[in-house]
Amino acid sequence: MLRLARRSGELALVSADGRALRGADGSIEPAELLAALPGDVFCPKRCPVHLRFDDAPARSRCSLVRAHSGLSALPDEAYLEVVTFSGDPIATVPGQVARVFVEAPGLALASAATGLSGAVVQGRLSGDAALIRLVGLAMELCGIYARDPIEPLSGPVAHDLDPIGSVAEASGLVGELGGRRGVALARRALALANDGSGSVMETFWYGVFCLPPRLGGAHLLRPLQNVRLEWPEGLVGVVSHERMRPDFYWPEYATACEHQGGDHADEAALAEDSRRARDYELCHIHYLPLTKQDARTEGAVRALLAQLFQVIAPHADSGFSRKASRVLGDSTAGARRVLLGQLLPPVGMR
């Protein structure tokens, strides 16, 4: 539901009204759910809807609901309300207004971490894989894209969306959740995540660049993602673009990277790529484009990293070359393959 609301031009997400959020009881009827929740995401025959209630006695006994208690112990900012673009509740049912609330990024991460922790305990997922997957979710929720609500791994991704929260805000909320199951894992994931990711591939490359080596990353400084560049004085009338927002920009390394996700084989696209490269050069910024082929295999990723290391080495500290050698060594290849498996779309979708 959160993904649907982010992607829809007819829906919006606003801060939850605490008075409307409280007082949930077990009187929910199947007809109310069917009327209030869009059929795009709510299919009773496929799975129940998860709802949280004030406490155990208030939990719904509706057959279409998987009920959880603890709402009364959560802060208001743990939830967002789904409304129409004009600000009204999304639906009405006979005799009352239906108001729909969804978990805000911090609580959504904690809930996802609970499920992933269970998978780790059952041996279906390694601890590192669960952490990487949760970092990916954090980057989506604190980024400007949203996966498909029904088929998140293979469905179409919506881009250039308004952010609904930041890593700092999600971390603050998780810090208020106490010792609930999944909170520790969510906290670790948020400590590794970054704001501003614009796509699934950008999230993957962030993992390659910035996660620690034991998780398959190079542990570089965190870049600015999709943040507008300020042109140097005197170049405003020379550069080809009024503004640019590189996918990744490291001021410390004077380096930018962009993932070329579309078709860059036609003449217009090639001309645009050339103009962008010239603008970066004019501003004394090293520019490395990232292609689909660079993410095909662990070997391709390693080759791209080796090139990036050559570019940023003159700007790094004296111990960088030793660090780069360790990252490119065979001992990190297995972790990088796990990273590819957890953050990339299925092979046929890349």
Side-chain angles (χ1 to χ4, degrees):
M1 190 68 201
L2 177 61
R3 282 174 168 143
L4 178 71
R6 291 194 71 193
R7 296 161 60 100
S8 173
E10 300 176 354
L11 300 177
L13 291 161
V14 298
S15 299
D17 179 343
R19 292 170 299 179
L21 183 63
R22 307 300 164 189
D25 57 33
S27 64
I28 293 175
E29 298 296 333
E32 294 176 329
L33 288 174
L34 293 170
L37 299 180
D40 298 15
V41 295
F42 180 47
C43 180
K45 294 182 179 179
R46 185 177 60 218
C47 62
V49 62
H50 290 256
L51 295 179
R52 195 182 299 274
F53 296 83
D54 283 347
D55 49 35
R59 291 171 60 184
S60 172
R61 302 299 188 267
C62 176
S63 61
L64 303 184
V65 170
R66 184 166 296 171
H68 308 270
S69 58
L71 178 63
S72 60
L74 295 173
D76 291 352
E77 58 267 27
Y79 278 86
L80 300 169
E81 184 173 3
V82 183
V83 297
T84 66
F85 198 73
S86 60
D88 298 320
I90 66 171
T92 58
V93 296
Q96 61 180 313
V97 174
R99 304 186 71 166
V100 177
F101 299 88
V102 293
E103 294 177 338
L107 184 57
L109 283 166
S111 295
T114 299
L116 290 171
S117 297
V120 172
V121 170
Q122 296 168 14
R124 295 186 287 110
L125 199 65
S126 72
D128 285 348
L131 180 56
I132 291 169
R133 191 177 297 185
L134 202 61
V135 171
L137 178 59
M139 297 282 286
E140 176 190 351
L141 295 178
C142 299
I144 54 175
Y145 71 99
R147 289 178 177 263
D148 185 74
I150 303 302
E151 300 291 345
L153 294 181
S154 58
V157 178
H159 301 98
D160 297 318
L161 306 177
D162 292 331
I164 57 170
S166 67
V167 169
E169 290 167 346
S171 297
L173 176 58
V174 169
E176 297 183 49
L177 299 182
R180 290 178 173 82
R181 185 182 177 190
V183 166
L185 182 59
R187 188 180 295 117
R188 290 172 61 199
L190 284 164
L192 297 170
N194 201 33
D195 290 325
S197 183
S199 70
V200 172
M201 292 305 300
E202 287 181 33
T203 291
F204 164 72
W205 282 113
Y206 171 83
V208 170
F209 297 148
C210 297
L211 291 185
R214 70 175 182 82
L215 297 177
H219 215 199
L220 299 177
L221 297 175
R222 295 190 186 195
L224 299 174
Q225 290 191 250
N226 293 291
V227 174
R228 179 179 174 178
L229 287 179
E230 296 294 334
W231 296 131
E233 187 175 351
L235 286 179
V236 174
V238 179
V239 293
S240 300
H241 296 82
E242 181 181 344
R243 63 178 65 88
M244 287 206 300
R245 298 184 308 160
D247 298 341
F248 304 95
Y249 175 51
W250 290 271
E252 303 88 348
Y253 302 144
T255 298
C257 290
E258 293 191 11
H259 180 256
Q260 298 180 339
D263 182 5
H264 288 251
D266 64 77
E267 185 174 348
L270 288 172
E272 170 60 13
D273 291 342
S274 296
R275 287 193 294 269
R276 296 182 74 83
R278 288 198 299 267
D279 282 354
Y280 284 123
E281 182 65 26
L282 285 167
C283 298
H284 305 288
I285 296 173
H286 303 292
Y287 171 56
L288 263 72
L290 309 169
T291 68
K292 293 180 180 179
Q293 286 70 30
D294 293 323
R296 290 291 185 188
T297 65
E298 187 278 326
V301 172
R302 191 190 313 207
L304 187 283
L305 276 177
Q307 294 175 343
L308 178 61
F309 290 166
Q310 288 295 316
V311 169
I312 66 179
H315 304 274
D317 57 43
S318 58
F320 181 77
S321 60
R322 293 191 300 274
K323 173 184 174 180
S325 296
R326 290 195 301 271
V327 168
L328 297 175
D330 291 339
S331 62
T332 61
R336 221 165 5 251
R337 281 191 285 270
V338 174
L339 183 66
L340 267 74
Q342 296 303 318
L343 292 185
L344 282 183
V347 174
M349 302 291 296
R350 298 177 191 174

